[in-house]
Amino acid sequence: EPEVTQTPSHQVTQMGQEVILRCVPISNHLYFYWYRQILGQKVEFLVSFYNNEISEKSEIFDDQFSVERPDGSNFTLKIRSTKLEDSAMYFCASRGQYSNQPQHFGDGTRLSIL
Amino acid sequence: AQSVTQLDSQVPVFEEAPVELRCNYSSSVSVYLFWYVQYPNQGLQLLLKYLSGSTLVKGINGFEAEFNKSQTSFHLRKPSVHISDTAEYFCAVSYQGAQKLVFGQGTRLTINP
């Protein structure tokens, strides 16, 4: 069964540094998402992406965050200048064409900011 | 405001006992409802979904859930749990017109032998 894959599984970065989290969505999916889960808290929506542009974003997704689909397969989340509070598990998800189709999630990237 | 509440943060049960994990959501005209499971060190895996039609939906691993519109609930059940069901379970809702999923806080299910 097709899967969403995320790399790396764990990223350790110094505060203030830029970090890029990578995702390969399921190949025929059209909608792409990033969520995050701070330790002990609920999974929170960050951003959705469709047709090469952001379609919805949360208050968390400020100017420090950006997303990109640089080629036909990868979907990336960039944090420009990381803060301690960016430490979390980041999940990528993708979905097919129709709104009643479920989102499929990757295994996540654990981001630790020192 | 759109919100999802999972009333129990932890549920310990004995192996082969039945279990119910509760989920309530803020009322809306139209919702899609999902349960996801997260095994240790893994991502979120879809257990089951409710889109429309029959209010009782069956998922993988013997789980089922019942949509109750008047109670705005979508409780997850399994008649007999196994050690391998130990995991965190998340209820999630997609509200009409929005692409995002709104998640509950999660319920950690622990199975004791």
Side-chain angles (χ1 to χ4, degrees), chain B residues 7-83:
Chain B
L7 297 166
D8 306 298
S9 59
Q10 294 187 58
V11 173
V13 295
F14 287 106
E15 195 172 14
E16 299 183 6
V19 70
E20 178 180 82
L21 307 183
R22 296 179 290 170
C23 173
N24 288 86
Y25 61 94
S26 57
S27 181
S28 180
V29 175
S30 178
V31 293
Y32 298 137
L33 299 158
F34 306 87
W35 276 96
Y36 285 87
V37 59
Q38 185 179 30
Y39 298 105
N41 301 313
Q42 294 187 28
L44 298 165
Q45 180 183 356
L46 181 69
L47 261 184
L48 49 76
K49 61 183 185 285
Y50 172 80
L51 306 176
S52 64
S54 173
T55 57
L56 183 65
V57 292
K58 294 191 184 297
I60 62 171
N61 302 338
F63 283 93
E64 61 182 33
E66 185 156 19
F67 169 58
N68 187 319
K69 188 173 182 178
S70 62
Q71 305 278 336
T72 61
S73 68
F74 190 53
H75 299 334
L76 180 71
R77 302 188 186 101
K78 185 169 182 177
S80 176
V81 296
H82 190 266
I83 290 282

Coordinates of all heavy atoms in Angstrom, one line a residue, chain B residues 7-83:
Chain B
L7 N -12.6 12.6 26.1 CA -12.8 12.8 27.6 C -11.8 12.1 28.4 O -11.6 12.4 29.6 CB -14.2 12.3 27.9 CG -15.3 13.2 27.2 CD1 -16.6 12.5 27.2 CD2 -15.4 14.6 27.8
D8 N -11.2 11.0 27.9 CA -10.2 10.3 28.7 C -8.8 10.4 28.2 O -8.6 10.0 27.0 CB -10.7 8.8 28.8 CG -12.1 8.6 29.3 OD1 -12.4 9.0 30.4 OD2 -12.9 8.2 28.5
S9 N -7.9 10.8 29.0 CA -6.5 10.9 28.5 C -5.8 9.5 28.5 O -5.0 9.2 27.7 CB -5.7 11.9 29.3 OG -5.7 11.5 30.7
Q10 N -6.3 8.7 29.5 CA -5.7 7.3 29.6 C -6.8 6.3 29.9 O -7.7 6.6 30.7 CB -4.7 7.2 30.7 CG -3.4 8.0 30.4 CD -2.3 7.8 31.5 OE1 -1.9 6.6 31.6 NE2 -1.9 8.8 32.1
V11 N -6.8 5.2 29.3 CA -7.8 4.1 29.6 C -7.0 2.8 29.7 O -6.5 2.3 28.8 CB -8.8 4.0 28.4 CG1 -9.7 2.8 28.7 CG2 -9.6 5.3 28.3
P12 N -6.9 2.3 31.0 CA -6.3 1.0 31.2 C -7.4 -0.1 31.2 O -8.5 0.1 31.8 CB -5.7 1.1 32.6 CG -6.5 2.1 33.3 CD -7.2 3.0 32.2
V13 N -7.2 -1.2 30.5 CA -8.2 -2.3 30.5 C -7.4 -3.6 30.5 O -6.2 -3.7 30.1 CB -9.1 -2.3 29.2 CG1 -10.0 -1.0 29.3 CG2 -8.3 -2.3 27.9
F14 N -8.1 -4.7 30.9 CA -7.5 -6.0 30.8 C -7.7 -6.6 29.5 O -8.7 -6.3 28.7 CB -8.1 -6.9 31.9 CG -7.7 -6.5 33.3 CD1 -8.5 -5.9 34.2 CD2 -6.4 -6.8 33.7 CE1 -8.1 -5.5 35.5 CE2 -6.0 -6.5 35.0 CZ -6.8 -5.8 35.9
E15 N -6.8 -7.5 29.1 CA -6.8 -8.1 27.8 C -8.2 -8.9 27.7 O -8.6 -9.5 28.7 CB -5.7 -9.1 27.7 CG -5.4 -9.6 26.3 CD -4.1 -10.4 26.1 OE1 -3.6 -10.8 27.2 OE2 -3.7 -10.6 25.0
E16 N -8.8 -8.9 26.5 CA -10.0 -9.5 26.2 C -11.2 -8.8 26.8 O -12.4 -9.2 26.6 CB -10.0 -11.0 26.6 CG -9.0 -11.8 25.9 CD -9.0 -13.3 26.2 OE1 -10.0 -13.7 27.0 OE2 -8.1 -14.1 25.8
A17 N -11.0 -7.7 27.5 CA -12.2 -6.9 28.0 C -12.6 -6.0 26.9 O -11.9 -5.7 25.9 CB -11.8 -6.1 29.2
P18 N -13.9 -5.5 26.9 CA -14.3 -4.5 26.0 C -13.8 -3.1 26.3 O -13.4 -2.9 27.5 CB -15.9 -4.6 26.1 CG -16.1 -5.0 27.5 CD -14.9 -5.9 27.9
V19 N -13.8 -2.2 25.4 CA -13.3 -0.9 25.6 C -14.1 0.1 24.8 O -14.6 -0.2 23.7 CB -11.8 -0.7 25.3 CG1 -11.5 -0.8 23.8 CG2 -11.3 0.6 25.8
E20 N -14.3 1.3 25.4 CA -14.9 2.4 24.6 C -14.1 3.6 24.9 O -13.8 4.0 26.0 CB -16.4 2.7 25.1 CG -17.0 3.8 24.4 CD -18.4 4.1 24.8 OE1 -18.6 4.8 25.9 OE2 -19.4 3.7 24.1
L21 N -13.7 4.3 23.8 CA -12.9 5.5 23.9 C -13.9 6.6 23.4 O -14.4 6.5 22.2 CB -11.7 5.5 23.0 CG -10.7 4.3 23.3 CD1 -9.5 4.4 22.4 CD2 -10.4 4.2 24.7
R22 N -14.0 7.7 24.2 CA -15.1 8.6 23.9 C -14.5 9.9 23.1 O -13.4 10.3 23.4 CB -15.7 9.1 25.2 CG -16.4 8.0 25.9 CD -17.0 8.4 27.2 NE -16.0 8.7 28.2 CZ -16.3 9.3 29.4 NH1 -17.5 9.7 29.7 NH2 -15.3 9.6 30.2
C23 N -15.4 10.4 22.3 CA -15.0 11.5 21.5 C -16.3 12.4 21.3 O -17.3 11.9 20.8 CB -14.5 11.1 20.1 SG -14.2 12.5 19.0
N24 N -16.2 13.7 21.6 CA -17.3 14.6 21.3 C -16.7 15.8 20.5 O -15.5 16.1 20.6 CB -17.9 15.1 22.6 CG -18.7 14.1 23.3 OD1 -18.2 13.3 24.0 ND2 -20.0 14.1 23.0
Y25 N -17.5 16.3 19.6 CA -17.0 17.5 18.8 C -18.1 18.6 18.9 O -19.2 18.4 19.2 CB -16.8 17.0 17.3 CG -18.1 16.5 16.7 CD1 -18.9 17.3 15.9 CD2 -18.5 15.1 16.8 CE1 -20.0 16.8 15.3 CE2 -19.6 14.7 16.3 CZ -20.4 15.5 15.5 OH -21.6 15.0 14.9
S26 N -17.6 19.8 18.5 CA -18.5 20.9 18.5 C -19.4 20.8 17.3 O -19.0 20.4 16.3 CB -17.7 22.2 18.5 OG -16.9 22.3 17.4
S27 N -20.6 21.2 17.5 CA -21.7 21.0 16.6 C -21.4 21.8 15.3 O -20.9 22.9 15.3 CB -23.0 21.4 17.1 OG -24.0 21.2 16.2
S28 N -21.8 21.2 14.2 CA -21.7 21.8 12.9 C -22.7 21.2 11.9 O -23.2 20.1 12.2 CB -20.3 21.7 12.3 OG -20.1 22.4 11.1
V29 N -22.9 21.9 10.8 CA -23.9 21.3 9.9 C -23.4 20.0 9.3 O -24.2 19.1 9.2 CB -24.1 22.4 8.8 CG1 -25.0 21.8 7.7 CG2 -24.7 23.7 9.3
S30 N -22.2 20.0 8.9 CA -21.7 18.8 8.2 C -20.3 18.5 8.6 O -19.4 19.4 8.6 CB -21.8 19.0 6.7 OG -21.3 17.9 6.0
V31 N -20.0 17.3 9.0 CA -18.7 16.9 9.4 C -18.3 15.5 8.8 O -19.2 14.7 8.5 CB -18.6 16.8 11.0 CG1 -18.7 18.2 11.6 CG2 -19.6 15.8 11.5
Y32 N -17.1 15.3 8.7 CA -16.5 14.0 8.4 C -15.7 13.6 9.7 O -15.0 14.5 10.3 CB -15.6 14.0 7.2 CG -16.3 14.3 5.9 CD1 -15.6 15.2 5.0 CD2 -17.5 13.8 5.6 CE1 -16.2 15.5 3.8 CE2 -18.1 14.1 4.4 CZ -17.5 15.0 3.5 OH -18.1 15.3 2.3
L33 N -15.9 12.4 10.1 CA -15.3 12.0 11.4 C -14.3 10.8 11.2 O -14.6 9.9 10.4 CB -16.4 11.5 12.4 CG -17.4 12.6 12.7 CD1 -18.7 12.0 13.2 CD2 -16.8 13.6 13.8
F34 N -13.2 10.9 11.9 CA -12.1 9.9 11.8 C -11.6 9.4 13.1 O -11.6 10.2 14.1 CB -11.0 10.5 11.0 CG -11.4 11.0 9.6 CD1 -11.8 12.4 9.5 CD2 -11.3 10.3 8.5 CE1 -12.2 12.9 8.3 CE2 -11.7 10.8 7.2 CZ -12.1 12.1 7.2
W35 N -11.1 8.2 13.2 CA -10.3 7.8 14.3 C -9.0 7.3 13.7 O -8.9 6.5 12.7 CB -10.9 6.6 15.0 CG -11.9 7.0 16.1 CD1 -13.2 7.1 16.0 CD2 -11.6 7.4 17.5 NE1 -13.8 7.5 17.2 CE2 -12.8 7.7 18.1 CE3 -10.4 7.6 18.2 CZ2 -12.8 8.1 19.4 CZ3 -10.4 8.0 19.5 CH2 -11.7 8.3 20.1
Y36 N -7.9 7.8 14.3 CA -6.5 7.4 13.9 C -5.9 6.7 15.1 O -6.2 7.1 16.3 CB -5.7 8.6 13.5 CG -6.0 9.2 12.1 CD1 -7.0 10.1 12.0 CD2 -5.3 8.8 11.0 CE1 -7.3 10.7 10.7 CE2 -5.6 9.3 9.8 CZ -6.6 10.3 9.6 OH -6.8 10.8 8.4
V37 N -4.9 5.8 14.8 CA -4.2 5.2 15.9 C -2.7 5.4 15.7 O -2.2 5.5 14.5 CB -4.5 3.6 15.9 CG1 -4.1 3.0 14.6 CG2 -3.7 3.0 17.1
Q38 N -2.0 5.6 16.8 CA -0.6 5.9 16.7 C 0.1 4.8 17.6 O 0.1 4.9 18.8 CB -0.2 7.3 17.1 CG 1.2 7.6 17.0 CD 1.5 9.1 17.4 OE1 0.9 9.6 18.3 NE2 2.5 9.7 16.8
Y39 N 0.8 3.9 17.0 CA 1.6 2.9 17.7 C 2.9 3.6 18.1 O 3.3 4.5 17.5 CB 1.8 1.6 16.9 CG 0.5 0.9 16.6 CD1 -0.1 1.0 15.3 CD2 -0.2 0.2 17.6 CE1 -1.3 0.3 15.0 CE2 -1.4 -0.4 17.3 CZ -2.0 -0.3 16.0 OH -3.1 -0.9 15.7
P40 N 3.6 3.1 19.1 CA 4.8 3.7 19.6 C 5.8 3.9 18.4 O 6.0 2.9 17.6 CB 5.3 2.7 20.6 CG 4.1 2.0 21.1 CD 3.2 1.9 20.0
N41 N 6.3 5.1 18.3 CA 7.4 5.4 17.3 C 6.9 5.3 15.9 O 7.7 5.1 15.0 CB 8.6 4.6 17.5 CG 9.2 4.8 18.9 OD1 9.4 5.9 19.4 ND2 9.5 3.7 19.6
Q42 N 5.6 5.4 15.7 CA 5.0 5.4 14.3 C 4.1 6.6 14.1 O 3.9 7.4 15.0 CB 4.2 4.1 14.1 CG 5.1 2.8 14.2 CD 4.3 1.6 13.8 OE1 3.4 1.6 13.0 NE2 4.8 0.4 14.3
G43 N 3.7 6.7 12.8 CA 2.8 7.8 12.5 C 1.4 7.5 12.8 O 1.0 6.5 13.5
L44 N 0.5 8.3 12.2 CA -1.0 8.2 12.5 C -1.5 7.3 11.4 O -1.4 7.5 10.2 CB -1.6 9.5 12.4 CG -1.2 10.5 13.5 CD1 -1.6 11.9 13.2 CD2 -1.7 10.1 14.8
Q45 N -2.2 6.2 11.8 CA -2.8 5.3 10.9 C -4.3 5.3 11.0 O -4.9 5.3 12.1 CB -2.3 3.8 11.2 CG -2.9 2.8 10.3 CD -2.4 1.4 10.7 OE1 -1.6 1.2 11.6 NE2 -2.9 0.4 10.0
L46 N -5.0 5.4 9.8 CA -6.5 5.5 9.9 C -7.1 4.2 10.3 O -6.8 3.1 9.8 CB -7.0 5.8 8.4 CG -8.5 6.0 8.3 CD1 -8.9 7.3 9.0 CD2 -8.9 6.0 6.8
L47 N -7.9 4.3 11.4 CA -8.7 3.2 11.9 C -10.0 3.0 11.2 O -10.4 1.9 10.7 CB -9.0 3.4 13.4 CG -8.1 2.7 14.4 CD1 -8.7 3.0 15.8 CD2 -8.0 1.2 14.2
L48 N -10.7 4.1 11.1 CA -12.1 4.1 10.4 C -12.5 5.6 10.2 O -11.9 6.5 10.7 CB -13.1 3.4 11.3 CG -13.2 3.7 12.8 CD1 -13.9 5.0 13.0 CD2 -13.9 2.6 13.5
K49 N -13.6 5.7 9.4 CA -14.1 7.0 9.1 C -15.6 6.9 8.9 O -16.2 5.9 8.6 CB -13.5 7.5 7.8 CG -13.7 6.7 6.5 CD -13.0 7.3 5.3 CE -13.4 6.5 4.1 NZ -12.8 5.2 4.0
Y50 N -16.2 8.1 9.3 CA -17.7 8.3 9.0 C -17.8 9.4 8.1 O -17.4 10.6 8.4 CB -18.5 8.5 10.3 CG -19.9 8.9 10.0 CD1 -20.8 7.9 9.6 CD2 -20.3 10.3 9.9 CE1 -22.1 8.3 9.3 CE2 -21.6 10.6 9.6 CZ -22.5 9.6 9.3 OH -23.7 10.0 8.9
L51 N -18.5 9.2 6.9 CA -18.7 10.2 5.9 C -20.2 10.5 5.8 O -20.6 11.7 5.8 CB -18.2 9.8 4.6 CG -16.7 9.4 4.6 CD1 -16.3 8.9 3.2 CD2 -15.8 10.5 5.0
S52 N -21.0 9.5 5.7 CA -22.5 9.6 5.7 C -23.1 8.2 5.7 O -22.3 7.2 5.8 CB -22.9 10.3 4.3 OG -22.5 9.5 3.2
G53 N -24.4 8.2 5.8 CA -25.0 6.9 5.7 C -25.1 6.2 7.1 O -25.4 6.9 8.1
S54 N -24.9 4.9 7.2 CA -25.1 4.2 8.4 C -24.2 4.8 9.5 O -23.0 5.1 9.3 CB -24.7 2.7 8.2 OG -24.7 2.0 9.4
T55 N -24.8 4.9 10.7 CA -24.1 5.6 11.8 C -23.1 4.7 12.5 O -22.3 5.1 13.2 CB -25.1 6.1 12.8 OG1 -25.9 5.0 13.3 CG2 -26.1 7.1 12.3
L56 N -23.2 3.4 12.2 CA -22.2 2.5 12.8 C -21.2 2.1 11.7 O -21.5 1.6 10.6 CB -22.9 1.2 13.3 CG -22.0 0.2 14.0 CD1 -21.4 0.8 15.3 CD2 -22.8 -1.1 14.3
V57 N -19.9 2.4 11.9 CA -18.9 2.2 11.0 C -17.9 1.2 11.5 O -17.6 1.3 12.7 CB -18.2 3.5 10.5 CG1 -19.1 4.3 9.7 CG2 -17.6 4.3 11.7
K58 N -17.4 0.3 10.7 CA -16.5 -0.7 11.1 C -15.1 -0.3 10.5 O -15.0 0.1 9.4 CB -16.9 -2.1 10.7 CG -18.2 -2.5 11.4 CD -18.5 -4.0 11.2 CE -19.8 -4.4 11.8 NZ -19.8 -4.2 13.3
G59 N -14.0 -0.6 11.3 CA -12.7 -0.3 10.8 C -11.8 -1.5 10.9 O -12.3 -2.6 11.0
I60 N -10.5 -1.2 10.9 CA -9.5 -2.3 10.9 C -9.4 -2.8 12.4 O -9.8 -2.1 13.3 CB -8.2 -1.8 10.4 CG1 -7.6 -0.7 11.2 CG2 -8.3 -1.4 8.9 CD1 -6.2 -0.3 10.8
N61 N -8.8 -3.9 12.5 CA -8.4 -4.5 13.8 C -9.6 -4.7 14.7 O -9.5 -4.7 16.0 CB -7.4 -3.7 14.5 CG -6.1 -3.5 13.7 OD1 -5.8 -4.3 12.8 ND2 -5.3 -2.5 13.9
G62 N -10.8 -4.9 14.2 CA -12.0 -5.2 15.0 C -12.6 -4.0 15.7 O -13.5 -4.1 16.5
F63 N -12.2 -2.8 15.4 CA -12.8 -1.6 16.0 C -14.0 -1.1 15.2 O -14.1 -1.4 14.0 CB -11.7 -0.4 16.0 CG -10.7 -0.5 17.0 CD1 -9.5 -1.2 16.8 CD2 -10.9 0.0 18.3 CE1 -8.5 -1.3 17.8 CE2 -10.0 -0.2 19.3 CZ -8.8 -0.8 19.1
E64 N -14.9 -0.5 15.9 CA -16.1 0.2 15.3 C -16.4 1.4 16.0 O -15.9 1.6 17.2 CB -17.3 -0.8 15.3 CG -17.7 -1.2 16.7 CD -18.9 -2.1 16.6 OE1 -19.0 -3.0 15.7 OE2 -19.8 -2.1 17.6
A65 N -17.1 2.3 15.4 CA -17.5 3.6 16.0 C -18.9 3.9 15.6 O -19.4 3.5 14.5 CB -16.5 4.7 15.6
E66 N -19.6 4.6 16.5 CA -21.0 5.0 16.2 C -21.1 6.5 16.2 O -20.7 7.2 17.2 CB -21.9 4.4 17.2 CG -23.4 4.7 16.9 CD -24.3 3.7 17.5 OE1 -23.9 3.0 18.5 OE2 -25.5 3.6 17.1
F67 N -21.6 7.1 15.1 CA -21.9 8.5 15.0 C -23.3 8.8 15.6 O -24.3 8.2 15.2 CB -21.9 8.9 13.5 CG -22.4 10.3 13.2 CD1 -21.8 11.4 13.8 CD2 -23.5 10.5 12.3 CE1 -22.3 12.6 13.5 CE2 -23.9 11.7 12.0 CZ -23.3 12.8 12.6
N68 N -23.3 9.7 16.5 CA -24.5 10.2 17.1 C -24.7 11.7 17.0 O -24.0 12.4 17.7 CB -24.5 9.8 18.6 CG -25.9 10.0 19.3 OD1 -26.5 11.1 19.0 ND2 -26.3 9.1 20.1
K69 N -25.5 12.1 16.0 CA -25.6 13.5 15.7 C -26.2 14.3 16.8 O -25.7 15.4 17.1 CB -26.5 13.6 14.4 CG -26.5 15.0 13.8 CD -27.2 15.1 12.5 CE -27.1 16.5 11.9 NZ -27.8 16.6 10.6
S70 N -27.2 13.8 17.5 CA -27.8 14.6 18.6 C -26.9 14.8 19.7 O -26.9 15.8 20.4 CB -29.1 13.9 19.0 OG -28.8 12.6 19.6
Q71 N -26.0 13.8 20.0 CA -25.0 13.9 21.1 C -23.7 14.5 20.6 O -22.8 14.7 21.4 CB -24.7 12.5 21.7 CG -25.9 11.8 22.2 CD -26.3 12.2 23.5 OE1 -25.5 12.7 24.3 NE2 -27.6 12.0 23.9
T72 N -23.6 14.8 19.3 CA -22.3 15.2 18.7 C -21.2 14.3 19.2 O -20.1 14.8 19.7 CB -22.0 16.7 18.8 OG1 -21.9 17.0 20.2 CG2 -23.1 17.5 18.2
S73 N -21.3 13.0 19.1 CA -20.3 12.1 19.6 C -19.9 11.1 18.5 O -20.7 10.8 17.5 CB -20.8 11.3 20.8 OG -21.8 10.5 20.5
F74 N -18.8 10.5 18.7 CA -18.3 9.5 17.7 C -17.3 8.6 18.5 O -16.1 8.6 18.4 CB -17.5 10.2 16.6 CG -17.1 9.2 15.4 CD1 -18.1 8.5 14.8 CD2 -15.8 9.2 15.0 CE1 -17.8 7.6 13.7 CE2 -15.5 8.3 13.9 CZ -16.5 7.6 13.3
H75 N -18.0 7.8 19.4 CA -17.2 6.9 20.3 C -16.7 5.7 19.6 O -17.4 5.1 18.8 CB -18.1 6.5 21.5 CG -18.6 7.7 22.3 ND1 -17.9 8.9 22.4 CD2 -19.7 7.8 23.1 CE1 -18.6 9.7 23.2 NE2 -19.7 9.1 23.6
L76 N -15.5 5.3 20.0 CA -14.8 4.1 19.4 C -14.9 2.9 20.3 O -14.8 3.1 21.6 CB -13.3 4.5 19.2 CG -12.4 3.4 18.6 CD1 -12.8 3.2 17.1 CD2 -11.0 3.8 18.7
R77 N -15.2 1.8 19.8 CA -15.4 0.6 20.6 C -14.7 -0.6 20.0 O -14.5 -0.7 18.8 CB -16.9 0.3 20.8 CG -17.8 1.4 21.3 CD -19.2 0.9 21.6 NE -20.0 2.0 22.0 CZ -20.9 2.6 21.2 NH1 -21.0 2.3 19.9 NH2 -21.6 3.6 21.7
K78 N -14.4 -1.5 21.0 CA -13.9 -2.8 20.5 C -14.4 -3.9 21.6 O -14.2 -3.6 22.8 CB -12.4 -2.9 20.4 CG -11.9 -4.2 19.9 CD -10.4 -4.2 19.5 CE -10.0 -5.5 18.9 NZ -8.5 -5.5 18.4
P79 N -15.0 -4.9 21.2 CA -15.6 -5.9 22.1 C -14.6 -6.7 23.0 O -14.9 -7.1 24.1 CB -16.5 -6.8 21.3 CG -16.0 -6.6 19.9 CD -15.3 -5.3 19.8
S80 N -13.4 -6.9 22.4 CA -12.4 -7.7 23.1 C -11.0 -7.2 22.7 O -10.6 -7.4 21.5 CB -12.6 -9.1 22.8 OG -11.6 -9.9 23.4
V81 N -10.3 -6.6 23.6 CA -9.0 -6.0 23.2 C -7.9 -7.0 23.3 O -7.9 -7.9 24.1 CB -8.7 -4.7 24.0 CG1 -9.7 -3.6 23.7 CG2 -8.6 -5.0 25.5
H82 N -6.8 -6.7 22.6 CA -5.6 -7.5 22.6 C -4.4 -6.6 23.0 O -4.4 -5.4 22.9 CB -5.4 -8.1 21.2 CG -4.3 -9.1 21.1 ND1 -3.0 -8.9 20.8 CD2 -4.4 -10.5 21.4 CE1 -2.3 -10.0 20.8 NE2 -3.1 -11.0 21.2
I83 N -3.4 -7.3 23.5 CA -2.2 -6.6 23.9 C -1.7 -5.7 22.8 O -1.2 -4.5 23.1 CB -1.0 -7.6 24.3 CG1 -1.4 -8.3 25.6 CG2 0.3 -6.8 24.4 CD1 -1.1 -7.4 26.9

